[in-house]
Amino acid sequence: PQRPPLPPPPGATTSKMPCCIECIQTAEVGIVERCGKYYRQAGPGANCVCYPVDEIVGVVNMRVQQLDVEIETKTLDNVFVMVVVSIQYSPIQERLWEAFYSLESHKLQIRAYIEDVVRAVLPTQSLDDAFESKEAIALSIKRRLDATMHTYGYLILNSLVTDMTPDYRVRNAMNEINASKRLKEAAAEKAEGDKVLSVKS
């Protein structure tokens, strides 16, 4: 016959580790640490966490995100322009450890690389060339980010130069040049029309 379990010593107490239910939202992944060290991931829905040994210390947003960055720089012909770059990115499912722990702020890191590329490329181009090479600038930014942000657990989906605005004085001068050009063309067409009418008469 089996012996019955021994009673606890006098004064001893028995305790069980409490378990808490933590909910993770859809399109998010929780990061669980055990005694301060990475332990596992928690998917969307209800998750049982053995508190205080285990703790969900944060979540990684798995949605496609967009970051808009404004950079002011100068072109080869000494025109200051405000460039707006939009980056679409998302965490890599297989590299969530890097996405959560590698960087204090992934947005600041992305912003720094964008500024570095734009301020390296635009000073070598005139204003007209810069407008014509927006797609090439966007591609250069994407290549630079692809090579670096993958290490930190992020996938760069798209890079767009959405706006490039020169200084307001340059814009006014460009508008005046265009207006003058159109007035000259209109005057030339009117003179040609008057010449035709005079010949017919």
Side-chain angles (χ1 to χ4, degrees), residues 67-82:
L67 177 64
D68 297 325
V69 180
E70 293 184 355
I71 313 106
E72 186 179 34
T73 187
K74 188 168 66 171
T75 61
L76 184 63
D77 43 359
N78 293 321
V79 177
F80 282 94
V81 292
M82 181 66 71

Side-chain angles (χ1 to χ4, degrees), residues 4-15:
L6 295 175
T13 59
T14 58
S15 62

Side-chain angles (χ1 to χ4, degrees), residues 25-200:
Q25 300 297 317
T26 300
E28 292 182 348
V29 175
I31 302 298
V32 182
E33 290 183 354
R34 171 165 288 184
C35 298
K37 182 180 179 180
Y38 173 78
Y39 178 51
R40 64 181 176 88
Q41 298 173 12
N47 292 269
C48 184
V49 180
C50 295
Y51 184 82
V53 176
D54 294 350
E55 182 181 2
I56 295 180
V57 295
V59 296
V60 178
N61 185 356
M62 300 302 296
R63 300 175 182 87
V64 175
Q65 302 171 63
Q66 179 166 313
L67 177 64
D68 297 325
V69 180
E70 293 184 355
I71 313 106
E72 186 179 34
T73 187
K74 188 168 66 171
T75 61
L76 184 63
D77 43 359
N78 293 321
V79 177
F80 282 94
V81 292
M82 181 66 71
V83 183
V84 180
V85 178
S86 297
I87 300 295
Q88 295 175 339
Y89 64 95
S90 66
I92 302 172
Q93 180 70 50
E94 295 77 16
R95 301 183 70 92
L96 291 185
W97 190 96
E98 290 86 350
F100 187 79
Y101 288 103
S102 295
L103 296 172
E104 184 174 351
S105 173
H106 64 273
K107 292 184 178 181
L108 289 179
Q109 189 77 6
I110 292 174
R111 182 185 297 273
Y113 282 118
I114 293 173
E115 291 176 350
D116 183 56
V117 172
V118 171
R119 288 179 175 152
V121 173
L122 256 67
T124 66
Q125 299 178 337
S126 66
L127 181 61
D128 291 338
D129 290 340
F131 276 108
E132 293 176 0
S133 62
K134 288 199 296 184
E135 291 186 7
I137 295 171
L139 184 59
S140 298
I141 293 171
K142 187 176 187 303
R143 286 175 177 169
R144 178 72 181 276
L145 290 175
D146 278 339
T148 54
M149 294 308 295
H150 187 273
T151 305
Y152 301 123
Y154 286 92
L155 177 65
I156 304 301
L157 302 172
N158 206 0
S159 171
L160 297 170
V161 177
T162 57
D163 193 19
M164 188 179 293
T165 307
D167 181 83
Y168 75 94
R169 289 168 295 187
V170 176
R171 294 201 306 271
N172 292 339
M174 292 172 66
N175 290 335
E176 289 177 2
I177 291 172
N178 289 332
S180 176
K181 182 179 178 181
R182 291 192 179 93
L183 288 173
K184 288 179 180 179
E185 290 174 353
E189 290 178 1
K190 184 176 184 302
E192 186 67 23
D194 293 341
K195 182 179 178 181
V196 172
L197 290 175
S198 64
V199 170
K200 287 183 177 180

